[in-house]
Amino acid sequence: DVKVTQSSRYLVKRTGEKVFLECVQDMDHENMFWYRQDPGLGLRLIYFSYDVKMKEKGDIPEGYSVSREKKERFSLILESASTNQTSMYLCASSGQKRGNNNEQFFGPGTRLTVL
Amino acid sequence: TQLLEQSPQFLSIQEGENLTVYCNSSSVFSSLQWYRQEPGEGPVLLVTVVTGGEVKKLKRLTFQFGDARKDSSLHITAAQPGDTGLYLCVSDSWGKLQFGAGTQVVVTP
């Protein structure tokens, strides 16, 4: 079974702190994604990566950056956390090359609260 | 960006009842996926539909893709508490997924 793990289930940080969210997948997938999920808004794509050291902006990249130094690991970084970044963060991976009908496998999510 | 509208936003039913949730788009889908997200977990893919008019069945779940490929529905027969979750319709454009806001379904015993 594909397993996507995220470093924390719950995280509380203060405004202005630098925050690292880690995601690891164990199926040698090429593609990895970071989303945030907010009530009534669904999942919105922050950043994604189709290869090591490669990254592309999603729909809402402002205030975030990412790092993909190894194929299995995709990190989301909040350089200076703000209260409007309080959200559920979901990491996903998929194994197929770019094209339609790709199944994405999700981690359990990290619920981040910024005070 | 394709806009996906899901209805209703929330549905609460008793065990054994049937339910239908809907997904509509502002434009034609190339393909459509349905995911279910259970409390405390990430979404899990249920089905992918590709062809207009397509119907797929997964045990008590029936998925239909509109002929014009701008809408889809998910029908659950004889719902069980294990069907509780957030049902998300998702369009897939070259590996980038666009999510609807979801329908929260609660099935009580």
Side-chain angles (χ1 to χ4, degrees), chain A residues 8-22:
Chain A
S8 305
R9 294 297 294 263
Y10 299 93
L11 209 53
V12 179
K13 295 292 182 181
R14 295 203 176 277
T15 300
E17 281 192 77
K18 191 169 185 176
V19 182
F20 293 87
L21 302 182
E22 305 285 343

Side-chain angles (χ1 to χ4, degrees), chain A residues 7-37:
Chain A
S7 50
S8 305
R9 294 297 294 263
Y10 299 93
L11 209 53
V12 179
K13 295 292 182 181
R14 295 203 176 277
T15 300
E17 281 192 77
K18 191 169 185 176
V19 182
F20 293 87
L21 302 182
E22 305 285 343
C23 174
V24 177
Q25 50 93 5
D26 66 359
M27 284 300 292
D28 201 34
H29 279 173
E30 305 285 339
N31 315 314
M32 296 188 75
F33 307 82
W34 274 106
Y35 298 88
R36 63 177 283 176
Q37 183 176 25

Side-chain angles (χ1 to χ4, degrees), chain A residues 95-108:
Chain A
Q96 295 168 277
K97 296 296 183 185
R98 294 184 74 165
N100 288 334
N101 308 329
N102 290 312
E103 177 178 4
Q104 291 195 6
F105 297 87
F106 285 83

Side-chain angles (χ1 to χ4, degrees), chain A residues 9 33 35 37 40-43 45 48 50 57-59 88 90 98-109, chain B residues 1 9 30-31 33 35 37 40-45 48-50 86 88 92-101:
Chain A
R9 294 297 294 263
F33 307 82
Y35 298 88
Q37 183 176 25
L41 297 177
L43 276 74
L45 182 62
F48 60 104
Y50 287 123
K57 292 180 180 179
D59 298 319
M88 170 70 83
L90 289 161
R98 294 184 74 165
N100 288 334
N101 308 329
N102 290 312
E103 177 178 4
Q104 291 195 6
F105 297 87
F106 285 83
Chain B
T1 301
Q9 288 185 310
S30 55
S31 65
Q33 299 177 331
Y35 283 73
Q37 184 177 18
E41 300 297 329
V44 176
L45 180 67
T48 300
V49 287
V50 179
L86 180 68
L88 298 160
D92 182 347
S93 177
W94 289 97
K96 279 184 66 176
L97 303 187
Q98 189 79 27
F99 287 80

